C-alpha cells in the first residue's frame, strides 16, 4: 500500500502570548490553548491532497508525546487522515530521539513519503526531519513550497534565503514543509464525529526499541530583553527630523 | 584544553557568505578555540582564500567534488561527518543553508544539535531563543557529547579580516546519488541584501498590491535600504518570498528598520528584535508594532510614504 506518514506535534497555539514563569523553570502552559503545530497541519493537508489525486492510498499521522496529545491526533483524523499512531511517553524527547521514533515508524509502515513541518513553533529547533532523513539514509527536501510526485521521484521547490530552489529526490524521502505550500482545510462537524471511529493506536518507546538519551539540559528560561519605550512623532517631517537627529539619515 | 571547532562555510561558489564570519565570531567566544573552516565546493580556491583571511581562523580545509557545485545537504553532510572526528564543535549559520544541513550532520554523528546560538556561556553552555523569541533558554550539552550547532547570525558581528590561515585539501567521500539539484531562481537586484543591510524598509498587507510596493522600493533606493515584507504581504503576492522577515522568514539586525503598514504580530517581531532603531508607520494607534517601535507615526501610509520620499529627496 502506498502510504504517507505525517509527523504531528502538539504545541501551544500560535495566538497565545507566551509568558515565562517567574522562577525561570519554563513557560506558562497551564490552561493555555494547545493546537497542532501549524506547519504540521500544512504537512497533513499536502498528504491528503496527494491521496485525493490518487498518488497515495493511506495517510497516517504520528505523534510522540504524553497522553494529552490525543485531541490533536483526533483533529488530524477529522481533517482526513486514515489512522493515527500515538507513541506515548512522558519523557521529553530531544529531536534526535523523536527522529529515532519516526525512523522506527518508517520501518513499521514503509511509507514512500514522510511529511513533517519545517519547525515546531515552540522549541523552534527545526531538526527532526533532517535527522530522520539521515538516520533513514534517505533524501531530504526541507522548507518545501511545492511538491510534485512522479515515478518514484519528488520534485520539490524550497524556500531558501536566495529565493526558490528546486531539487529532485528519489523516493522514499523526507519533506519538511513551509507555510506557502498550501492552506489547510477547515474541519467540519460531521468529520469530527467520523474521526471518533477511526483507528488510533498507542505504542511505546520500548516496543519500537528506542531508548531515549538526554544529551541536552535546559537550565533556565528567561524573558527576552525588553525594548525601551519609544516616542511618537506627528508627521513625516518630524519623522525625518528624528531620524536625522539619530544620525540615521 | 583547547576546543577544536569546525565551521562549515556558506558560499555561492565565488564569495564567502558573511554568515561564515559571524560563525567565526561566535566560535571565538568559546574558550581556547582553535578554528577550522571547511569549504565544500566544486572549485574551492577562491572561497578558501577568503575564509583563510577571516580573523580568528587557524586553518582552512577544502573538499572538492562536482556535486558541491550547489549546496545539497545530502551531499555535504557525509563530508563533514567524515572530517568531524577530532572536533568538539561543528558550527554552521542559521541561514536556510545551515538549517538544512546541520541537523543531518548531527544525526550522522549521533549527537545533539543546539539551534540558533545567540550567546556562548561556556564550551557546553549556550543561550538560544524558543517560542519565536518570546523566551530565551540556557542549555547545557551533557556527557561530553560533540556539539553540533547553528549560529543565530543576527546575534554576532562578523569577524574582520587579516588572518593568513593555511589551506589544506581533504579527499571527498562519495556523495549519494539520490538527491539532485534542478534550478534556483534568485531575484538579482542591485539593492542591498536584506540580511546584511544597515537599513531596511518593510511593507505589510496594508500596501494592498505589488504596484504600491514599488513606492517602498523607491524610498529604499533613496535611503540605500533593503526592502523586506511581512508574511501577509508575501502570501498576497505583493513581494517575493525571500523578502519575508520573521520567525519563518529572515531574522535581521539592521541599524534602522522601518515597518510600514505592518501590525506587529509576534512572528514578525521575532525577526526584528535586534534592530537598533525601529520606526513604525501605521494608521491604527493601537497596533502592537508601536509597543516595540522607537519612533512611531500614526497615519495613512499612502500619504506619508510619498511625503517621506519628497523630504528625503
Ligand atoms: C528539555 C525538553 C523538554 C521538553 N518538554 C516537552 C513537553 O513537555 N511536551 C512536549 O510536547 N514536548 C516537549 N519537548 C519537545 C520534544 O519532545 C520535541 O518533540 C523534540 O524536541 C523535537 O523538537 P522540536 O519540537 O523543536 O521539533 P522540530 O525539529 O522543530 O520539528 C519539526 C517537525 O518534526 C515533527 N515533530 C517534532 N516533534 C514531534 C513529535 N513529538 N511527534 C511527532 N512529530 C514531531 C513535526 O512534524 C515538526 O513540525 C521537550 C524537549 C526538550 C529538549
Ligand atoms: C507559524 C506562523 C509563522 C509565521 N511567520 C511569520 C513571519 O515569519 N513573518 C511575518 O511577518 N508573519 C508571520 N506570520 C504571520 C503573522 O502572524 C501575521 O499574520 C502577519 O505578520 C501579518 O502581516 P501584516 O502585519 O502585514 O498584516 P496585518 O496584520 O493585516 O496588518 C496590517 C496593518 O496595516 C495597518 N494599515 C492598514 N491600512 C493602512 C494604511 N493605509 N496606512 C497605514 N497603516 C495601515 C493596519 O492598521 C494593520 O496594523 C506567521 C504566522 C504563523 C501562524
Amino acid at each position: 500500500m502506498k502510504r504517507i506518514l505525517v509527523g504531528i506535534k502538539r504545541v501551544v497555539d500560535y495566538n497565545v502570548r507566551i509568558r515565562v514563569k517567574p522562577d525561570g523553570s519554563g513557560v506558562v502552559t497551564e490552561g493555555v490553548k494547545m493546537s497542532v503545530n501549524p506547519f504540521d497541519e500544512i504537512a497533513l493537508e499536502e498528504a491528503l491532497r496527494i491521496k485525493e489525486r490518487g498518488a497515495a492510498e493511506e495517510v497516517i499521522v504520528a505523534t510522540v508525546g504524553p497522553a494529552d496529545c490525543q485531541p490533536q491526533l483526533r483533529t488530524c483524523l477529522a481533517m482526513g487522515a486514515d489512522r493515527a499512531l500515538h507513541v506515548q511517553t512522558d519523557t521529553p524527547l530531544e529531536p534526535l530521539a523523536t527522529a529515532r521514533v519516526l525512523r522506527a515508524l518508517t520501518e513499521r509502515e514503509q511509507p514512500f513519503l514522510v511529511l513533517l513541518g519545517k519547525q515546531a513553533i515552540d522549541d523552534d529547533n527545526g531538526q527532526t526531519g533532517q535527522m530522520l532523513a539521515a538516520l533513514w539514509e534517505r533524501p531530504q527536501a526541507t522548507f518545501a513550497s511545492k511538491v510534485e510526485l512522479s515515478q518514484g521521484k519528488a520534485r520539490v521547490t524550497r524556500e531558501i534565503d536566495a529565493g526558490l530552489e528546486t531539487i529532485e529526490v528519489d523516493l522514499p524521502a523526507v519533506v519538511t514543509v513551509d507555510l506557502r505550500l498550501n492552506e489547510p482545510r477547515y474541519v467540519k462537524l460531521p468529520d469530527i464525529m467520523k474521526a471518533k471511529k477511526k483507528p488510533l493506536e498507542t505504542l511505546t518507546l520500548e516496543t519500537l526499541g528506542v531508548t531515549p538519551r538526554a544529551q541536552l539540559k535546559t537550565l533556565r528560561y528567561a524573558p527576552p530583553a525588553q525594548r525601551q519605550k519609544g516616542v511618537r512623532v506627528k508627521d513625516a517631517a518630524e519623522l525625518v527630523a528624528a531620524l536625522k537627529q539619530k544620525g540615521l539619515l | 584544553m583547547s576546543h577544536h571547532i569546525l565551521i562549515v562555510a556558506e558560499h555561492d561558489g565565488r564569495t564567502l557568505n558573511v554568515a561564515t564570519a559571524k560563525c567565526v565570531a561566535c566560535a571565538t567566544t568559546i574558550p581556547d578555540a582553535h578554528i577550522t573552516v571547511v569549504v565544500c565546493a566544486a572549485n574551492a580556491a577562491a572561497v578558501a582564500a577568503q575564509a583563510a583571511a577571516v580573523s580568528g581562523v587557524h586553518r582552512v580545509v577544502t573538499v572538492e567534488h562536482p556535486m558541491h557545485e550547489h549546496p545539497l545537504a545530502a551531499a555535504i553532510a557525509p563530508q563533514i561527518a567524515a572530517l568531524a572526528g577530532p572536533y568538539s564543535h561543528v558550527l554552521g549559520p542559521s541561514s536556510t543553508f545551515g538549517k538544512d544541513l546541520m541537523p543531518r550532520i548531527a544525526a550522522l554523528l549521533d549527537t545533539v544539535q543546539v539551534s540558533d546560538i545567540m550567546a556562548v556561556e561556556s564550551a557546553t553552555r549556550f543561550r538560544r531563543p524558543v517560542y519565536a523569541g518570546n523566551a530565551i533558554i540556557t542549555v547545557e550539552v551533557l556527557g561530553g557529547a560533540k556539539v553540533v550547532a547553528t549560529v543565530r547570525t543576527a546575534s554576532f558581528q562578523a569577524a574582520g579580516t587579516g588572518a593568513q590561515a593555511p589551506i589544506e585539501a581533504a579527499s571527498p567521500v562519495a556523495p549519494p546519488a539520490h538527491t539532485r539539484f534542478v534550478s534556483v531562481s534568485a531575484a538579482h537586484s542591485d539593492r542591498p541584501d536584506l540580511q546584511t543591510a544597515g537599513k531596511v524598509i518593510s511593507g505589510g498587507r496594508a500596501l494592498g498590491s505589488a504596484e504600491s510596493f514599488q513606492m517602498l522600493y523607491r524610498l529604499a533606493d533613496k535611503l540605500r535600504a533593503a526592502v523586506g515584507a511581512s508574511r501577509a504581504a508575501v502570501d498576497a503576492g505583493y513581494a517575493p518570498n525571500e523578502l519575508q522577515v520573521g520567525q519563518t522568514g529572515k531574522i535581521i539586525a539592521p541599524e534602522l528598520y522601518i515597518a510600514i503598514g505592518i501590525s506587529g504580530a509576534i512572528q514578525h517581531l521575532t525577526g526584528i528584535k535586534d534592530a537598533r532603531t525601529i520606526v513604525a508607520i501605521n494608521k491604527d494607534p493601537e497596533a502592537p508594532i508601536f509597543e516595540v517601535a522607537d519612533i512611531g507615526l500614526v497615519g495613512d501610509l499612502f500619504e506619508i510614504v510619498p511625503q517621506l520620499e519628497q523630504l528625503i529627496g
Side-chain angles (χ1 to χ4, degrees):
Chain A
M1 183 132 69
K2 292 195 75 178
R3 295 189 174 119
I4 303 177
L5 179 67
V6 183
I8 301 295
K9 190 179 181 198
R10 169 181 179 267
V11 298
V12 173
D13 188 84
Y14 81 96
N15 276 313
V16 171
R17 242 199 150 96
I18 297 296
R19 280 181 302 125
V20 174
K21 290 181 186 165
D23 67 358
S25 64
V27 302
V28 178
T29 52
E30 288 79 29
V32 156
K33 183 177 178 209
M34 303 297 285
S35 297
V36 175
N37 182 36
F39 293 97
D40 303 355
E41 274 185 10
I42 294 169
L44 174 55
E45 176 65 35
E46 196 64 17
L48 295 174
R49 289 185 190 185
I50 292 169
K51 186 186 158 191
E52 285 158 3
R53 283 202 298 271
E57 290 157 305
E58 191 181 39
V59 174
I60 308 166
V61 287
T63 197
V64 191
D68 42 14
C69 295
Q70 294 210 353
Q72 281 69 37
L73 283 179
R74 289 285 169 205
T75 303
C76 294
L77 292 171
M79 261 180 83
D82 297 296
R83 61 190 167 93
L85 302 173
H86 180 196
V87 182
Q88 200 166 323
T89 172
D90 291 328
T91 318
L93 299 189
E94 289 166 16
L96 185 57
T98 304
R100 278 191 201 296
V101 172
L102 294 174
R103 171 72 187 93
L105 293 180
T106 61
E107 206 54 48
R108 190 176 187 266
E109 303 291 348
Q110 300 289 325
F112 73 98
L113 182 63
V114 179
L115 287 166
L116 301 180
K118 79 161 178 177
Q119 79 200 67
I121 60 161
D122 49 2
D123 296 315
D124 278 338
N125 281 317
Q127 302 175 8
T128 309
Q130 299 87 313
M131 288 180 161
L132 168 62
L135 298 174
W136 197 15
E137 296 175 47
R138 293 307 308 165
Q140 69 189 44
T142 53
F143 327 139
S145 65
K146 192 170 173 197
V147 179
E148 296 162 288
L149 301 176
S150 67
Q151 293 143 16
K153 295 188 191 72
R155 197 172 259 249
V156 179
T157 303
R158 310 177 51 230
E159 295 207 7
I160 61 167
D161 290 338
L164 295 173
E165 182 191 68
T166 304
I167 62 172
E168 188 184 74
V169 296
D170 295 338
L171 298 174
V174 178
V175 173
T176 79
V177 310
D178 215 320
L179 291 170
R180 273 174 283 278
L181 179 59
N182 62 47
E183 213 166 302
R185 65 196 65 190
Y186 285 103
V187 175
K188 293 187 231 60
L189 197 59
D191 296 328
I192 296 175
M193 301 313 290
K194 263 197 289 188
K196 289 193 175 138
K197 296 200 195 75
K198 287 189 179 175
L200 191 164
E201 189 180 351
T202 304
L203 302 164
T204 63
L205 295 178
E206 295 76 58
T207 52
L208 294 172
V210 178
T211 318
R213 206 171 19 154
Q215 290 187 305
L216 199 62
K217 187 173 176 189
T218 303
L219 301 176
R220 64 181 165 274
Y221 285 72
Q226 291 300 316
R227 295 186 73 97
Q228 294 275 317
K229 185 132 185 65
V231 297
R232 291 273 168 111
V233 291
K234 73 172 195 315
D235 57 24
E238 273 196 11
L239 174 56
V240 169
L243 290 175
K244 283 199 171 133
Q245 206 194 352
K246 282 178 174 270
L248 289 166
L249 278 185
Chain B
M1 192 190 82
S2 72
H3 291 105
H4 288 266
I5 297 164
L6 185 63
I7 295 173
V8 187
E10 175 168 359
H11 62 85
D12 61 4
R14 281 164 290 139
T15 312
L16 185 70
N17 191 300
V18 66
T20 304
K22 294 185 172 195
C23 291
V24 173
C26 172
T28 56
T29 65
I30 295 172
D32 302 314
H34 185 280
I35 300 170
T36 301
V37 174
V38 52
V39 178
C40 294
N43 301 293
V47 175
Q50 294 162 46
V54 176
S55 301
V57 174
H58 295 94
R59 198 166 71 111
V60 174
V61 174
T62 60
V63 182
E64 291 190 329
H65 192 284
M67 268 290 273
H68 300 322
E69 177 80 40
H70 302 282
L72 293 171
I76 300 173
Q79 310 290 5
I80 308 302
L83 292 173
Y87 297 90
S88 56
H89 298 69
V90 184
L91 307 183
S94 67
S95 54
T96 51
F97 165 78
K99 286 179 175 169
D100 182 38
L101 173 65
M102 302 312 287
R104 193 165 177 114
I105 295 173
L108 292 179
L109 295 172
D110 190 25
T111 194
V112 279
Q113 172 172 308
V114 179
S115 296
D116 303 317
I117 291 180
M118 29 190 325
V120 172
E121 291 193 355
S122 79
T124 53
R125 198 174 281 196
F126 309 94
R127 284 208 294 276
R128 62 171 298 259
V130 291
Y131 292 98
N134 285 292
I136 310 297
I137 60 172
T138 306
V139 295
E140 172 92 36
V141 177
L142 306 173
K146 207 185 276 296
V147 181
V148 173
T150 57
V151 173
R152 183 176 182 275
T153 47
S155 299
F156 296 90
Q157 294 280 336
T161 53
Q164 282 183 310
I167 300 172
E168 296 158 30
S171 44
V173 299
H178 56 47
T179 306
R180 293 166 294 276
F181 172 84
V182 178
S183 64
V184 65
S185 71
H188 285 287
S189 85
D190 302 332
R191 292 198 175 79
D193 174 55
L194 176 57
Q195 230 145 3
T196 52
K199 296 172 189 166
V200 174
I201 298 182
S202 270
R205 193 197 314 269
L207 269 295
S209 69
E211 291 70 52
S212 21
F213 236 82
Q214 291 305 319
M215 204 161 66
L216 300 193
Y217 286 112
R218 285 200 302 274
L219 186 58
D221 288 344
K222 292 203 165 163
L223 289 166
R224 257 171 287 149
V227 173
S230 72
R231 174 187 168 192
V234 174
D235 284 356
Y238 309 159
N241 71 290
E242 63 269 21
L243 298 193
Q244 183 173 315
V245 172
Q247 182 184 19
T248 47
K250 294 196 166 99
I251 310 282
I252 56 174
E255 287 293 306
L256 175 62
Y257 185 79
I258 307 183
I260 301 180
I262 292 179
S263 60
I266 51 171
Q267 294 89 359
H268 187 80
L269 299 184
T270 192
I272 59 169
K273 285 212 164 93
D274 294 297
R276 182 73 62 83
T277 299
I278 297 176
V279 174
I281 300 172
N282 195 304
K283 71 174 184 189
D284 174 9
E286 306 296 325
I289 187 79
F290 287 121
E291 288 169 31
V292 300
D294 300 283
I295 307 175
L297 173 51
V298 177
D300 185 344
L301 73 93
F302 293 100
E303 289 168 16
I304 294 167
V305 173
Q307 288 168 358
L308 285 175
E309 219 185 305
Q310 270 201 331
L311 286 163
I312 292 164

